[in-house]
Amino acid sequence: MRFFLPFPRRLGAALALSLGMLAPPAMAATDTVDAVAWPVRPLRLVVAFPAGAPGDIVSRLIQPALQKALGQPVVVDNRPGAGGNIGMQEVLRANDGHSVLVGPDTMFTINPHLYRKMAFRPMEDFVPVTQLAAFSQELVCHPAAGVKTLAQLLAAAKKTPMSYASGGQGVPGHMAMELLLSSTGVSMQHVAYRGPGPAMQDVLGNAVPCGFLASPVVGPLIREGRLLPIVVSGRHRLASQPAVPTAAEAGVPGYEAVFAEMMAMPRGTPASVVDRLRNEVAKALAAPEVRERLATLDLEPLANTPAEAAARLRAENARWGAVAQRIQLQLD
């Protein structure tokens, strides 16, 4: 038997609505940042998703190296909600040159197309520092769902109403699944949670039969045999799970959905501050022990420049905007 959980979806909609009612953030504090002396106090990494999400994992991995290099404490501050919009609002509100946004690129590439009433503009009000690491989503099901392949899942969903879980409205798993469903002509009920962790717990308990979640989150449970992998969203199979096919290999030609965790600061932050932070992040990500840990989690370190990150965001914004329009997905 499959269960539907409408409450998390209502919660997500309520958050989206309340976000649109917030006053526009102040945008002048970064003018007072001393770029030469920076940082002059603790650096706050505002992670826009809950603990255990890929951005949270990467932030905590590089935290010690950043503290040593910058000579100031580095604090990880989780501010989840509304697909990352709550975290973005917090960084813009602070706008102190010492609050840094961390989260998936969907905050910039997808949210502007879904939340039309935001009091800020992600692509215009932030400047990228760097993209930290690329990752895929993974479609998984509880063993009791009785499906082991994508063909079996789609056939079952055509016969009986089924639901799937994701970490929230407009987040990577949601968009990856909606792209998959729109490509196959199949419908499933979306159950949105405040982060991949809670979503994973309900799939693990079979409250929702399937979920499209970040591979670093579900990988350990797959290896334990507690969840069954169906497909991965990227162009290539995961090194840690070479037997799991991509969606394209499983019968959806041309399908690809790869995402990246990233850092950003309010526009107006001195370029020298952005460049220094990016350079120290790149060094931290290059450490052998960090790269080894990221590899075990199927996270590919990027550490591109602000200009490269901005170009990638523009391209992905256009791509996902077209997807959102095609499947008529809008939250306000």
Side-chain angles (χ1 to χ4, degrees):
M1 178 179 295
R2 277 86 186 184
F3 297 87
F4 295 91
L5 300 178
F7 174 72
R9 300 182 75 237
R10 293 201 301 270
L11 177 61
L15 284 171
L17 180 60
S18 64
L19 185 66
M21 300 169 65
L22 292 174
M27 295 296 291
T30 49
D31 294 339
T32 64
V33 174
D34 185 343
V36 176
W38 185 92
V40 296
R41 57 179 181 271
L43 192 69
R44 184 170 61 130
L45 303 184
V46 179
V47 179
F49 278 70
D56 178 76
I57 293 172
V58 179
S59 295
R60 296 180 190 279
L61 280 175
I62 65 176
Q63 179 185 31
L66 289 182
Q67 288 187 154
K68 182 177 181 180
L70 298 175
Q72 290 285 348
V74 175
V75 180
V76 177
D77 182 8
N78 296 88
R79 296 295 182 101
N85 289 343
I86 299 298
M88 285 193 286
Q89 181 75 38
E90 171 59 23
V91 172
L92 291 175
R93 182 203 63 76
N95 200 29
D96 55 5
H98 292 75
S99 296
V100 183
L101 176 69
V102 178
D105 55 3
T106 52
M107 297 183 297
F108 297 85
T109 63
I110 293 175
N111 286 14
H113 304 289
L114 303 188
Y115 300 90
R116 303 295 177 87
K117 298 178 181 178
M118 286 191 294
F120 58 92
R121 302 167 299 170
M123 293 290 289
E124 290 80 12
D125 293 341
F126 284 92
V127 59
V129 175
T130 186
Q131 290 183 310
L132 299 166
F135 63 99
S136 293
Q137 296 293 292
E138 193 160 7
L139 178 56
V140 296
C141 292
H142 190 278
V147 296
K148 295 183 179 180
T149 67
L150 181 60
Q152 291 174 354
L153 174 60
L154 297 177
K158 288 180 179 179
K159 293 180 179 179
T160 306
M162 291 184 68
S163 58
Y164 77 92
S166 85
Q169 300 279 17
V171 304
H174 180 205
M175 295 304 292
M177 188 62 166
E178 292 301 324
L179 178 60
L180 180 66
L181 293 173
S182 69
S183 300
T184 58
V186 176
S187 296
M188 292 180 68
Q189 180 75 28
H190 178 219
V191 183
Y193 290 81
R194 292 192 68 184
M200 177 192 67
Q201 289 300 322
D202 268 12
V203 177
L204 194 60
N206 199 29
V208 184
C210 301
F212 221 142
L213 302 163
S215 56
V217 174
V218 297
L221 295 170
I222 291 171
R223 287 187 283 273
E224 293 172 6
R226 301 172 69 187
L227 292 176
L228 297 179
I230 307 299
V231 294
V232 295
S233 68
R235 182 185 305 159
H236 306 292
R237 297 190 181 199
L238 300 175
S240 67
Q241 301 176 53
V244 182
T246 66
E249 291 173 329
V252 189
Y255 179 94
E256 179 187 355
V258 179
F259 306 91
E261 293 293 335
M262 63 176 298
M263 277 185 171
M265 298 183 76
R267 191 166 298 279
T269 302
S272 59
V273 169
V274 172
D275 289 338
R276 185 181 178 198
L277 179 57
R278 180 265 166 184
N279 291 339
E280 297 302 343
V281 168
K283 293 175 185 176
L285 288 173
E289 63 275 15
V290 172
R291 295 182 70 87
E292 181 179 347
R293 178 59 178 155
L294 291 176
T296 64
L297 296 170
D298 296 308
L299 287 163
E300 177 189 354
L302 296 175
N304 49 12
T305 67
E308 291 168 340
R312 181 166 174 171
L313 284 181
R314 287 192 295 269
E316 288 294 291
N317 178 280
R319 175 180 180 239
W320 285 109
V323 172
Q325 184 175 17
R326 186 169 79 244
I327 64 179
Q328 299 182 332
L329 185 61
Q330 188 176 336
L331 302 181
D332 59 19

